[in-house]
Amino acid sequence: MDFCAFQLDPLFEDDTLKAEGTGVYQQVFDTMDYDNAPSSDLVELLLDGMQAAGYTV
């Protein structure tokens, strides 16, 4: 992978973010689709999940 200009972010692959049915991304989309939540709540949910996975938010 040394030849790649952009290295893969290991946090991007974190299962807490993208797990099918239980990941943060799925929670955000489900909350948007079924709960008709305001966008500010969706942003908070996403940022909290990203922070739990190790991102500095």
Side-chain angles (χ1 to χ4, degrees):
M1 294 296 294
D2 290 338
F3 64 88
C4 293
F6 302 103
Q7 298 296 317
L8 181 63
D9 182 356
L11 292 177
F12 181 75
E13 297 296 321
D14 191 293
D15 197 44
T16 59
L17 294 176
K18 64 180 193 136
E20 187 173 333
T22 60
V24 172
Y25 300 145
Q26 186 68 49
Q27 286 179 320
V28 169
F29 286 119
D30 286 348
T31 302
M32 179 176 56
D33 289 342
Y34 301 115
D35 296 341
N36 199 22
S39 57
S40 59
D41 289 352
L42 299 173
V43 169
E44 280 299 316
L45 182 62
L46 180 60
L47 292 178
D48 288 345
M50 291 176 70
Q51 191 170 22
Y55 279 98
T56 302
V57 179

